[in-house]
Amino acid sequence: MFSYRHAFHAGNHADALKHVTLLATLRHLMAKSTPLTLIDTHAGAGVYRLDDGAARLSGEAEQGVARLQALHQARVSEENQAPAQAQRAQAATKEEANLLWDYLALVAGFNSNASPGAPWRVYPGSPFLMHALMTEPGRAAVHDRLKLFELHPTDSQALAAHVAQLEAGRQVSVARQDGFEGLKGLLPPPADRAGSRRALVLIDPSYEIKTDYARVAAAVQDGLRRFATGVYLVWYPIIGRAQAHDLPRRLRTLANQAGRPWLHATLAVGAPRSATPAAVPGAEPARPGLTASGMFVINPPHTLAAGLRAALPVLQEALARGPHAGWTVETGG
């Protein structure tokens, strides 16, 4: 049950899709100066070293955020050389800049102590990205709250230690608990002084247990019953498993039944040709690992679809590893 460790996958293409979507959604919600309750049901360790044994062993960050760092550095260089032209280019691709470049700038901020041009060695998970936005100068006075759940004993301990270094007090809480169960006690969120209730829920289990797919759908269904106006973001892997194929359809049905709008985005990076068939007859084919994933958002910002349609082609081009790379964005409700 506890074999999955996100440290092996931190900064890969799936994280890029998840975190670009999460940050774009949060930016939109934070344009309104009323508090948010932010909930991460499967928080992991919170922040990761890309130069430790796990990340180096998998090499996924090298095929993910390391490639994106090159994009970020090229953009910064262009801005330094020709600020006026760069500003015009940003204005022409505003939605893309608000998503992809915002994400990369935040990751770069966690590596600000590194030498110029040095590879990024720190990757912030969802909890630390959400906390970064909560505590920005223009937002800190609002006093959003972040609720984190992690059941894995090692990752839960690491998460608690990392959060303690933030010195966030009661604004951030960590519970070693099943996030599916913990979520029930947080919805609906408490109202602020003006009676407003707002919450964002991120659900991204490892799916190492097949029942996770059904539990995700059940958690969303229960969440919509308790708090229909909440924003629910679900990450899932696109793999050859019936449950994975069926999950977005189940989520779409739940959103439609609740009368709520939805967005479904996918990103596929493909696999090298050598990783698909066996190179030698009778030999085991090389395993390419996860090559695609999806994000399903219920009650998405109205700006999210356009932003992703601008950002995902850039991500695909930067992260593609072979045939069948691609992206999609669908909306409804």
Side-chain angles (χ1 to χ4, degrees), residues 146-198:
L146 179 58
K147 306 291 185 180
L148 305 174
F149 296 95
E150 179 53 53
L151 191 57
H152 192 291
T154 303
D155 283 351
S156 179
Q157 184 177 14
L159 176 64
H162 291 149
V163 168
Q165 295 178 16
L166 297 175
E167 298 182 349
R170 298 175 62 183
Q171 195 174 11
V172 181
S173 66
V174 177
R176 183 181 171 187
Q177 183 183 356
D178 183 330
F180 292 122
E181 293 299 320
L183 178 61
K184 297 177 182 179
L186 296 177
L187 298 177
D192 65 10
R193 293 178 180 178
S196 174
R197 299 177 187 270
R198 300 205 303 153

Side-chain angles (χ1 to χ4, degrees), residues 200-276:
L200 176 147
V201 180
L202 174 63
I203 305 175
D204 60 337
S206 66
Y207 297 96
E208 66 171 342
I209 306 171
K210 290 183 180 180
T211 54
D212 277 351
Y213 296 93
R215 296 193 73 191
V216 166
V220 170
Q221 183 176 33
D222 185 69
L224 289 170
R225 180 179 63 81
R226 293 172 183 270
F227 188 55
T229 58
V231 179
Y232 299 88
L233 296 91
V234 175
W235 175 87
Y236 71 98
I238 297 177
I239 56 177
R241 180 179 285 179
Q243 295 92 333
H245 183 71
D246 190 51
L247 181 59
R249 291 188 297 185
R250 295 181 67 179
L251 295 174
R252 186 185 309 119
T253 297
L254 290 173
N256 289 336
Q257 288 175 342
R260 311 309 303 180
W262 54 267
L263 178 147
H264 181 210
T266 67
L267 175 66
V269 297
R273 293 185 183 278
S274 60
T276 44

Side-chain angles (χ1 to χ4, degrees), residues 78-142:
E78 290 175 2
E79 291 176 346
N80 290 338
Q81 292 175 7
Q85 292 89 328
Q87 289 176 6
R88 287 195 292 270
Q90 280 193 4
T93 58
K94 182 179 179 181
E95 293 293 351
E96 175 191 324
N98 284 347
L99 274 67
L100 180 57
W101 308 122
D102 184 35
Y103 159 65
L104 293 178
L106 280 165
V107 177
F110 281 85
N111 292 271
S112 58
N113 293 330
S115 302
W120 288 340
R121 296 304 184 194
V122 176
Y123 188 82
S126 302
F128 271 57
L129 288 171
M130 288 191 280
H131 181 263
L133 266 60
M134 288 168 53
T135 54
E136 286 184 341
R139 186 68 187 179
V142 177

